[in-house]
mmCIF file of all heavy atoms in Angstrom:
data_model
loop_
_atom_site.group_PDB
_atom_site.id
_atom_site.type_symbol
_atom_site.label_atom_id
_atom_site.label_comp_id
_atom_site.label_asym_id
_atom_site.label_seq_id
_atom_site.Cartn_x
_atom_site.Cartn_y
_atom_site.Cartn_z
ATOM 1 N N ALA A 153 -6.839 15.553 -10.316
ATOM 2 C CA ALA A 153 -7.537 15.867 -11.565
ATOM 3 C C ALA A 153 -8.645 16.884 -11.319
ATOM 4 O O ALA A 153 -8.931 17.728 -12.161
ATOM 5 C CB ALA A 153 -8.119 14.594 -12.175
ATOM 6 N N SER A 154 -9.277 16.835 -10.148
ATOM 7 C CA SER A 154 -10.407 17.720 -9.890
ATOM 8 C C SER A 154 -9.972 19.052 -9.287
ATOM 9 O O SER A 154 -10.495 20.097 -9.658
ATOM 10 C CB SER A 154 -11.397 17.026 -8.946
ATOM 11 O OG SER A 154 -12.522 17.836 -8.733
ATOM 12 N N LEU A 155 -9.023 19.031 -8.373
ATOM 13 C CA LEU A 155 -8.680 20.253 -7.628
ATOM 14 C C LEU A 155 -7.323 20.850 -7.979
ATOM 15 O O LEU A 155 -7.062 22.013 -7.668
ATOM 16 C CB LEU A 155 -8.763 19.993 -6.119
ATOM 17 C CG LEU A 155 -10.163 19.679 -5.592
ATOM 18 C CD1 LEU A 155 -10.096 19.302 -4.117
ATOM 19 C CD2 LEU A 155 -11.112 20.851 -5.794
ATOM 20 N N GLY A 156 -6.452 20.058 -8.609
ATOM 21 C CA GLY A 156 -5.152 20.559 -9.060
ATOM 22 C C GLY A 156 -4.423 21.346 -7.988
ATOM 23 O O GLY A 156 -4.268 20.877 -6.860
ATOM 24 N N ASP A 157 -3.997 22.564 -8.324
ATOM 25 C CA ASP A 157 -3.178 23.338 -7.389
ATOM 26 C C ASP A 157 -4.004 24.138 -6.368
ATOM 27 O O ASP A 157 -3.470 24.962 -5.644
ATOM 28 C CB ASP A 157 -2.237 24.268 -8.163
ATOM 29 C CG ASP A 157 -2.996 25.217 -9.078
ATOM 30 O OD1 ASP A 157 -4.249 25.268 -8.979
ATOM 31 O OD2 ASP A 157 -2.357 25.905 -9.888
ATOM 32 N N LYS A 158 -5.294 23.876 -6.311
ATOM 33 C CA LYS A 158 -6.126 24.574 -5.324
ATOM 34 C C LYS A 158 -5.915 24.019 -3.911
ATOM 35 O O LYS A 158 -6.398 24.573 -2.936
ATOM 36 C CB LYS A 158 -7.601 24.478 -5.688
ATOM 37 C CG LYS A 158 -7.933 25.244 -6.963
ATOM 38 C CD LYS A 158 -9.441 25.392 -7.109
ATOM 39 C CE LYS A 158 -9.789 26.275 -8.277
ATOM 40 N NZ LYS A 158 -9.345 25.646 -9.566
ATOM 41 N N VAL A 159 -5.187 22.907 -3.827
ATOM 42 C CA VAL A 159 -4.933 22.301 -2.521
ATOM 43 C C VAL A 159 -3.435 22.359 -2.227
ATOM 44 O O VAL A 159 -2.615 22.192 -3.120
ATOM 45 C CB VAL A 159 -5.540 20.876 -2.455
ATOM 46 C CG1 VAL A 159 -5.526 20.200 -3.784
ATOM 47 C CG2 VAL A 159 -4.866 20.005 -1.428
ATOM 48 N N ASP A 160 -3.089 22.670 -0.965
ATOM 49 C CA ASP A 160 -1.677 22.855 -0.612
ATOM 50 C C ASP A 160 -0.904 21.543 -0.632
ATOM 51 O O ASP A 160 0.285 21.513 -0.910
ATOM 52 C CB ASP A 160 -1.564 23.518 0.766
ATOM 53 C CG ASP A 160 -2.190 24.907 0.761
ATOM 54 O OD1 ASP A 160 -1.903 25.669 -0.188
ATOM 55 O OD2 ASP A 160 -2.981 25.219 1.667
ATOM 56 N N MET A 161 -1.584 20.441 -0.322
ATOM 57 C CA MET A 161 -0.893 19.152 -0.296
ATOM 58 C C MET A 161 -1.910 18.013 -0.416
ATOM 59 O O MET A 161 -3.010 18.121 0.110
ATOM 60 C CB MET A 161 -0.141 19.016 1.033
ATOM 61 C CG MET A 161 0.694 17.771 1.139
ATOM 62 S SD MET A 161 1.673 17.818 2.667
ATOM 63 C CE MET A 161 2.532 16.254 2.480
ATOM 64 N N VAL A 162 -1.506 16.951 -1.115
ATOM 65 C CA VAL A 162 -2.349 15.752 -1.201
ATOM 66 C C VAL A 162 -1.595 14.598 -0.547
ATOM 67 O O VAL A 162 -0.479 14.279 -0.954
ATOM 68 C CB VAL A 162 -2.672 15.378 -2.673
ATOM 69 C CG1 VAL A 162 -3.562 14.135 -2.718
ATOM 70 C CG2 VAL A 162 -3.329 16.538 -3.416
ATOM 71 N N LEU A 163 -2.183 14.003 0.475
ATOM 72 C CA LEU A 163 -1.596 12.809 1.091
ATOM 73 C C LEU A 163 -2.132 11.606 0.332
ATOM 74 O O LEU A 163 -3.347 11.388 0.273
ATOM 75 C CB LEU A 163 -1.997 12.716 2.566
ATOM 76 C CG LEU A 163 -1.303 13.678 3.531
ATOM 77 C CD1 LEU A 163 -1.929 13.560 4.920
ATOM 78 C CD2 LEU A 163 0.197 13.414 3.598
ATOM 79 N N ASP A 164 -1.232 10.837 -0.273
ATOM 80 C CA ASP A 164 -1.637 9.703 -1.099
ATOM 81 C C ASP A 164 -1.460 8.398 -0.324
ATOM 82 O O ASP A 164 -0.349 8.063 0.079
ATOM 83 C CB ASP A 164 -0.763 9.688 -2.373
ATOM 84 C CG ASP A 164 -1.188 8.613 -3.368
ATOM 85 O OD1 ASP A 164 -2.025 7.746 -3.015
ATOM 86 O OD2 ASP A 164 -0.684 8.642 -4.506
ATOM 87 N N ALA A 165 -2.554 7.681 -0.108
ATOM 88 C CA ALA A 165 -2.452 6.370 0.529
ATOM 89 C C ALA A 165 -3.153 5.317 -0.318
ATOM 90 O O ALA A 165 -3.704 4.342 0.205
ATOM 91 C CB ALA A 165 -3.021 6.404 1.946
ATOM 92 N N GLY A 166 -3.165 5.528 -1.628
ATOM 93 C CA GLY A 166 -3.798 4.545 -2.513
ATOM 94 C C GLY A 166 -5.314 4.649 -2.483
ATOM 95 O O GLY A 166 -5.865 5.583 -1.900
ATOM 96 N N PRO A 167 -6.000 3.700 -3.131
ATOM 97 C CA PRO A 167 -7.462 3.757 -3.219
ATOM 98 C C PRO A 167 -8.122 3.581 -1.845
ATOM 99 O O PRO A 167 -7.603 2.860 -0.994
ATOM 100 C CB PRO A 167 -7.827 2.570 -4.120
ATOM 101 C CG PRO A 167 -6.555 1.996 -4.628
ATOM 102 C CD PRO A 167 -5.427 2.537 -3.814
ATOM 103 N N THR A 168 -9.259 4.249 -1.656
ATOM 104 C CA THR A 168 -9.988 4.119 -0.389
ATOM 105 C C THR A 168 -10.752 2.797 -0.381
ATOM 106 O O THR A 168 -11.022 2.220 -1.430
ATOM 107 C CB THR A 168 -10.974 5.283 -0.196
ATOM 108 O OG1 THR A 168 -11.934 5.253 -1.251
ATOM 109 C CG2 THR A 168 -10.241 6.615 -0.208
ATOM 110 N N GLN A 169 -11.123 2.343 0.817
ATOM 111 C CA GLN A 169 -11.716 1.008 0.933
ATOM 112 C C GLN A 169 -13.218 0.946 0.758
ATOM 113 O O GLN A 169 -13.737 0.120 0.028
ATOM 114 C CB GLN A 169 -11.402 0.445 2.316
ATOM 115 C CG GLN A 169 -10.128 -0.352 2.332
ATOM 116 C CD GLN A 169 -9.996 -1.173 3.602
ATOM 117 O OE1 GLN A 169 -10.767 -0.992 4.543
ATOM 118 N NE2 GLN A 169 -9.034 -2.050 3.630
ATOM 119 N N VAL A 170 -13.927 1.818 1.470
ATOM 120 C CA VAL A 170 -15.401 1.736 1.465
ATOM 121 C C VAL A 170 -15.954 2.213 0.124
ATOM 122 O O VAL A 170 -16.834 1.589 -0.450
ATOM 123 C CB VAL A 170 -16.005 2.547 2.637
ATOM 124 C CG1 VAL A 170 -17.537 2.554 2.555
ATOM 125 C CG2 VAL A 170 -15.545 1.970 3.963
ATOM 126 N N GLY A 171 -15.446 3.350 -0.351
ATOM 127 C CA GLY A 171 -15.750 3.773 -1.710
ATOM 128 C C GLY A 171 -16.903 4.741 -1.885
ATOM 129 O O GLY A 171 -16.941 5.460 -2.881
ATOM 130 N N ILE A 172 -17.877 4.764 -0.995
ATOM 131 C CA ILE A 172 -18.900 5.817 -1.050
ATOM 132 C C ILE A 172 -18.912 6.542 0.294
ATOM 133 O O ILE A 172 -18.397 6.034 1.291
ATOM 134 C CB ILE A 172 -20.318 5.316 -1.425
ATOM 135 C CG1 ILE A 172 -20.913 4.430 -0.344
ATOM 136 C CG2 ILE A 172 -20.312 4.640 -2.785
ATOM 137 C CD1 ILE A 172 -22.400 4.133 -0.545
ATOM 138 N N GLU A 173 -19.489 7.750 0.310
ATOM 139 C CA GLU A 173 -19.450 8.610 1.475
ATOM 140 C C GLU A 173 -20.195 7.999 2.670
ATOM 141 O O GLU A 173 -21.103 7.175 2.512
ATOM 142 C CB GLU A 173 -20.054 9.985 1.140
ATOM 143 C CG GLU A 173 -19.392 10.708 -0.019
ATOM 144 C CD GLU A 173 -19.904 10.260 -1.385
ATOM 145 O OE1 GLU A 173 -20.662 9.264 -1.461
ATOM 146 O OE2 GLU A 173 -19.537 10.918 -2.376
ATOM 147 N N SER A 174 -19.855 8.509 3.859
ATOM 148 C CA SER A 174 -20.415 7.994 5.108
ATOM 149 C C SER A 174 -21.942 8.128 5.176
ATOM 150 O O SER A 174 -22.536 8.990 4.530
ATOM 151 C CB SER A 174 -19.802 8.758 6.284
ATOM 152 O OG SER A 174 -20.127 10.133 6.213
ATOM 153 N N THR A 175 -22.534 7.288 5.982
ATOM 154 C CA THR A 175 -23.946 7.420 6.353
ATOM 155 C C THR A 175 -24.052 8.650 7.257
ATOM 156 O O THR A 175 -23.278 8.793 8.198
ATOM 157 C CB THR A 175 -24.397 6.178 7.150
ATOM 158 O OG1 THR A 175 -24.181 5.013 6.352
ATOM 159 C CG2 THR A 175 -25.864 6.280 7.552
ATOM 160 N N VAL A 176 -24.975 9.578 6.938
ATOM 161 C CA VAL A 176 -25.161 10.760 7.806
ATOM 162 C C VAL A 176 -26.454 10.556 8.592
ATOM 163 O O VAL A 176 -27.533 10.406 8.009
ATOM 164 C CB VAL A 176 -25.231 12.071 6.993
ATOM 165 C CG1 VAL A 176 -25.481 13.265 7.918
ATOM 166 C CG2 VAL A 176 -23.948 12.285 6.187
ATOM 167 N N ALA A 177 -26.319 10.516 9.931
ATOM 168 C CA ALA A 177 -27.467 10.242 10.794
ATOM 169 C C ALA A 177 -27.701 11.420 11.724
ATOM 170 O O ALA A 177 -26.782 11.853 12.421
ATOM 171 C CB ALA A 177 -27.195 8.983 11.618
ATOM 172 N N SER A 178 -28.913 11.949 11.736
ATOM 173 C CA SER A 178 -29.206 13.070 12.615
ATOM 174 C C SER A 178 -29.804 12.599 13.935
ATOM 175 O O SER A 178 -30.883 12.000 13.970
ATOM 176 C CB SER A 178 -30.179 14.043 11.944
ATOM 177 O OG SER A 178 -30.466 15.098 12.855
ATOM 178 N N LEU A 179 -29.070 12.912 15.018
ATOM 179 C CA LEU A 179 -29.591 12.664 16.363
ATOM 180 C C LEU A 179 -30.170 13.965 16.894
ATOM 181 O O LEU A 179 -30.556 14.071 18.042
ATOM 182 C CB LEU A 179 -28.472 12.179 17.283
ATOM 183 C CG LEU A 179 -27.766 10.898 16.861
ATOM 184 C CD1 LEU A 179 -26.745 10.485 17.901
ATOM 185 C CD2 LEU A 179 -28.774 9.782 16.635
ATOM 186 N N HIS A 180 -30.180 14.964 16.025
ATOM 187 C CA HIS A 180 -30.686 16.281 16.367
ATOM 188 C C HIS A 180 -32.207 16.291 16.195
ATOM 189 O O HIS A 180 -32.870 17.261 16.501
ATOM 190 C CB HIS A 180 -30.018 17.297 15.435
ATOM 191 C CG HIS A 180 -30.191 18.711 15.827
ATOM 192 N ND1 HIS A 180 -29.985 19.145 17.107
ATOM 193 C CD2 HIS A 180 -30.540 19.811 15.114
ATOM 194 C CE1 HIS A 180 -30.213 20.448 17.162
ATOM 195 N NE2 HIS A 180 -30.550 20.871 15.967
ATOM 196 N N ARG A 181 -32.731 15.195 15.655
ATOM 197 C CA ARG A 181 -34.170 15.059 15.482
ATOM 198 C C ARG A 181 -34.662 13.874 16.293
ATOM 199 O O ARG A 181 -33.924 12.954 16.585
ATOM 200 C CB ARG A 181 -34.511 14.848 13.999
ATOM 201 C CG ARG A 181 -34.188 16.038 13.131
ATOM 202 C CD ARG A 181 -34.178 15.613 11.683
ATOM 203 N NE ARG A 181 -35.427 14.965 11.329
ATOM 204 C CZ ARG A 181 -36.368 15.539 10.576
ATOM 205 N NH1 ARG A 181 -36.189 16.742 10.095
ATOM 206 N NH2 ARG A 181 -37.467 14.895 10.301
ATOM 207 N N ASP A 182 -35.934 13.897 16.611
ATOM 208 C CA ASP A 182 -36.504 12.831 17.399
ATOM 209 C C ASP A 182 -37.801 12.363 16.742
ATOM 210 O O ASP A 182 -38.717 13.162 16.612
ATOM 211 C CB ASP A 182 -36.773 13.347 18.815
ATOM 212 C CG ASP A 182 -36.802 12.205 19.820
ATOM 213 O OD1 ASP A 182 -36.310 11.119 19.478
ATOM 214 O OD2 ASP A 182 -37.328 12.410 20.911
#
Side-chain angles (χ1 to χ4, degrees):
S154 183
L155 295 174
D157 58 9
K158 293 193 174 64
V159 32
D160 298 313
M161 184 174 181
V162 181
L163 285 174
D164 185 350
T168 62
Q169 269 194 350
V170 175
I172 67 169
E173 303 83 351
S174 62
T175 302
V176 178
S178 178
L179 301 184
H180 193 47
R181 294 164 54 106
D182 204 17

